[in-house]
Coordinates of all heavy atoms in Angstrom, one line a residue:
Chain B
F395 N 19.8 -8.7 -18.9 CA 20.7 -8.0 -18.0 C 22.2 -8.4 -18.4 O 23.1 -7.6 -18.3 CB 20.4 -8.4 -16.5 CG 19.5 -7.4 -15.9 CD1 18.1 -7.6 -16.0 CD2 19.9 -6.3 -15.2 CE1 17.2 -6.7 -15.4 CE2 19.0 -5.4 -14.6 CZ 17.7 -5.6 -14.7
D396 N 22.4 -9.7 -18.8 CA 23.7 -10.1 -19.2 C 24.1 -9.4 -20.5 O 25.3 -8.9 -20.6 CB 23.7 -11.6 -19.5 CG 23.9 -12.5 -18.3 OD1 24.1 -11.9 -17.2 OD2 23.7 -13.7 -18.4
M397 N 23.2 -9.2 -21.4 CA 23.5 -8.5 -22.6 C 23.9 -7.1 -22.4 O 24.8 -6.5 -22.9 CB 22.4 -8.6 -23.6 CG 22.3 -10.0 -24.3 SD 20.9 -10.2 -25.4 CE 21.3 -8.9 -26.7
A398 N 23.1 -6.5 -21.5 CA 23.3 -5.1 -21.1 C 24.7 -4.9 -20.5 O 25.4 -3.9 -20.8 CB 22.2 -4.6 -20.2
T399 N 25.1 -5.8 -19.6 CA 26.4 -5.8 -19.0 C 27.5 -5.8 -20.0 O 28.5 -5.1 -19.9 CB 26.5 -6.9 -18.0 OG1 25.4 -6.8 -17.0 CG2 27.8 -6.9 -17.2
E400 N 27.3 -6.7 -21.0 CA 28.3 -6.7 -22.1 C 28.4 -5.4 -22.9 O 29.4 -5.0 -23.3 CB 27.9 -7.9 -23.1 CG 28.2 -9.3 -22.5 CD 27.7 -10.4 -23.4 OE1 27.5 -10.2 -24.6 OE2 27.4 -11.5 -22.8
L401 N 27.2 -4.8 -23.0 CA 27.2 -3.5 -23.8 C 27.9 -2.4 -23.1 O 28.4 -1.5 -23.8 CB 25.7 -3.1 -24.0 CG 24.9 -3.9 -25.0 CD1 23.4 -3.5 -25.0 CD2 25.4 -3.8 -26.4
V402 N 28.0 -2.5 -21.8 CA 28.8 -1.4 -21.1 C 30.2 -1.8 -20.8 O 31.0 -0.9 -20.4 CB 28.1 -1.0 -19.7 CG1 26.8 -0.4 -19.9 CG2 28.1 -2.1 -18.8
E403 N 30.6 -3.0 -21.2 CA 32.0 -3.4 -21.0 C 32.9 -2.5 -21.8 O 32.7 -2.2 -22.9 CB 32.1 -4.9 -21.5 CG 32.4 -5.8 -20.3 CD 32.4 -7.3 -20.8 OE1 32.9 -7.6 -21.9 OE2 32.0 -8.2 -20.0
G404 N 34.0 -2.2 -21.2 CA 35.0 -1.4 -21.8 C 34.8 0.1 -21.6 O 35.6 0.9 -22.1
S405 N 33.7 0.4 -21.0 CA 33.4 1.9 -20.8 C 33.9 2.3 -19.4 O 33.6 3.4 -19.0 CB 31.9 2.1 -20.9 OG 31.2 1.5 -19.9
G406 N 34.5 1.4 -18.7 CA 35.0 1.7 -17.4 C 34.1 1.6 -16.2 O 34.4 1.9 -15.1
I407 N 32.8 1.1 -16.5 CA 31.9 0.9 -15.4 C 32.0 -0.6 -15.0 O 31.8 -1.5 -15.8 CB 30.4 1.2 -15.9 CG1 30.3 2.6 -16.4 CG2 29.4 1.0 -14.8 CD1 29.0 3.0 -17.0
D408 N 32.3 -0.8 -13.7 CA 32.4 -2.1 -13.2 C 31.0 -2.6 -12.8 O 30.3 -1.9 -12.0 CB 33.3 -2.0 -11.9 CG 33.8 -3.4 -11.5 OD1 33.6 -4.4 -12.2 OD2 34.5 -3.4 -10.4
V409 N 30.5 -3.7 -13.4 CA 29.2 -4.2 -13.1 C 29.2 -5.6 -12.5 O 29.9 -6.5 -13.0 CB 28.3 -4.2 -14.4 CG1 26.9 -4.7 -14.1 CG2 28.3 -2.9 -15.1
R410 N 28.5 -5.8 -11.4 CA 28.3 -7.1 -10.8 C 26.9 -7.4 -10.8 O 26.0 -6.5 -10.9 CB 28.9 -7.1 -9.4 CG 30.4 -7.0 -9.3 CD 31.1 -8.3 -9.6 NE 30.8 -9.3 -8.6 CZ 31.5 -9.5 -7.5 NH1 32.6 -8.8 -7.2 NH2 31.1 -10.5 -6.6
S411 N 26.5 -8.7 -10.7 CA 25.1 -9.0 -10.7 C 24.8 -10.0 -9.6 O 25.6 -10.9 -9.3 CB 24.8 -9.6 -12.1 OG 23.4 -9.9 -12.2

Side-chain angles (χ1 to χ4, degrees):
Chain B
F395 271 86
D396 279 351
M397 285 177 64
T399 303
E400 286 170 25
L401 290 170
V402 296
E403 248 175 35
S405 66
I407 304 177
D408 198 4
V409 182
R410 293 277 297 268
S411 182

